[in-house]
Structures are given as structure tokens and as C-alpha cells.
Amino acid sequence: MHRATLCIPPHTLPKKSWEILMSDLKNHFGDDASLEEEDRKNILYFLLENSAENSTKEVSVKVLNSIENKDIIAITQTPFWKNEHKNIKKEVFEHPQVKSKANCKACHSDIEKGLIEDEKIKDISSFM
Ligand code: HEC
């Protein structure tokens, strides 16, 4: 089970965050997301190869600038993310179809493809 790890696109976090995250899967945001060592290594390798440092996407650059050298492992804690979502009411994130800030896909339909662009964002008024 690595749903929690992979719902966030690799290019939205720097290497350091992925390393911290993947080294403590027993306490993965309140879930035990432990993996077989080989799977863990493969996933970590994939995440590092595709991390924000290795991406030229606009969001990667913004996240890197925003995280600086802090030990942030959740994009939702970055000043960049908070700023982009500051106009969204708390109730929207609590909506049954959203449930959590980390459920990017509820609002960013194409997020697995790494596309986080304004035109791909769903109309969140249905969550209000
Ligand atoms: C409740 C819906 C919702 C959730 C959940 C959500 N977002 Fe967003 N996000 C939005 C909306 C709406 C905007 C546009 C805000 C604006 O333009 O004022 C946005 C903007 C963004 C932007 C800026 C896009 C751009 O082109 O400038 C990024 C990057 C982003 N979100 C990433 C994420 C990530 C990563 C997650 C999951 C950790 C996430 N969002 C979760 C609704 C959401």
C-alpha cells in the first residue's frame, strides 16, 4: 500500500523531503505505510529521479524556493501551497468528496500526469 506516497506527484517535493518521508513509513501521516525493503528502495529511487530538483516545471521551482532548506515533508505546509490555496474555505477541504488538503486529485484532475495548471482545476464551487 503506497497510495498515500504516490498521490502527490514527485516533482512537487525536493529530494530531502522524499528521503525523510520514505525513511519513516511506519508513521506516514498517521498511517502505517511500511513497504518491503526492495519496494521502498525502488519507489525512493523513482521519487528522487523525479523530484523537484530534477524538474523544470514551474511548480517545482516555486516549491523549492518556498521550502528552502526546511524539513518539510508535506507540500501543504509550504508557504507556496498555503498561498495558492488561501482563498479556499476550510469547509471545502472538509467536503466528503475532498476530505483532506492532501487529496490533490479531488480538485486537480490530472495531477498524476504532473499537470497542475489553472485550466485543469475543477470548479470547486460544487464542494461548497
Ligand atoms: C479543494 C480543492 C483543492 C485541493 C484539495 C488542492 N487544491 Fe491546489 N488549487 C485549488 C484551486 C481552486 C487552485 C487555484 C487557486 C487560485 O487560483 O486562486 C489551486 C492552485 C494550486 C496550484 C497553483 C496552480 C497554478 O497553476 O498556479 C498548485 C501548484 C496546487 N494547487 C497544488 C496542489 C497540490 C499539490 C495539492 C495536494 C497536496 C492541492 N493543490 C490540493 C484547489 C485545490
Side-chain angles (χ1 to χ4, degrees):
M1 285 303 286
H2 40 259
R3 65 194 187 290
T5 322
L6 294 182
C7 75
I8 308 272
H11 70 275
T12 59
L13 280 174
K15 292 190 167 126
K16 189 172 172 193
S17 304
W18 288 124
E19 273 162 355
I20 300 171
L21 220 149
M22 293 300 288
S23 67
D24 191 16
L25 289 171
K26 269 212 166 309
N27 301 295
H28 188 85
F29 302 109
D31 271 339
D32 182 350
S34 299
L35 295 168
E36 297 290 331
E37 183 55 15
E38 183 150 336
D39 292 341
R40 194 191 69 84
K41 278 199 194 130
N42 287 338
I43 292 172
L44 179 60
Y45 179 78
F46 168 81
L47 294 170
L48 297 182
E49 282 290 290
N50 295 284
S51 66
E53 286 95 333
N54 287 348
S55 162
T56 52
K57 295 191 176 73
E58 197 188 337
V59 53
S60 310
V61 177
K62 288 183 181 163
V63 166
L64 287 178
N65 290 338
S66 183
I67 288 191
E68 292 169 334
N69 205 32
K70 294 194 259 320
D71 285 349
I72 287 182
I73 58 164
I75 187 175
T76 51
Q77 284 165 18
T78 62
F80 162 66
W81 193 94
K82 287 183 185 163
N83 188 48
E84 292 291 341
H85 299 82
K86 67 174 183 293
N87 297 325
I88 302 175
K89 290 203 183 69
K90 206 167 96 259
E91 294 80 65
V92 174
F93 292 112
E94 287 164 358
H95 187 280
Q97 278 169 273
V98 182
K99 292 197 191 86
S100 148
K101 287 179 183 170
N103 187 9
C104 318
K105 201 172 156 49
C107 308
H108 300 277
S109 347
D110 272 346
I111 198 145
E112 298 96 336
K113 295 192 204 124
L115 299 167
I116 308 178
E117 286 154 33
D118 294 338
E119 63 270 26
K120 302 282 185 198
I121 302 174
K122 279 188 205 160
D123 180 2
I124 60 165
S125 57
S126 64
F127 298 141
M128 291 178 195

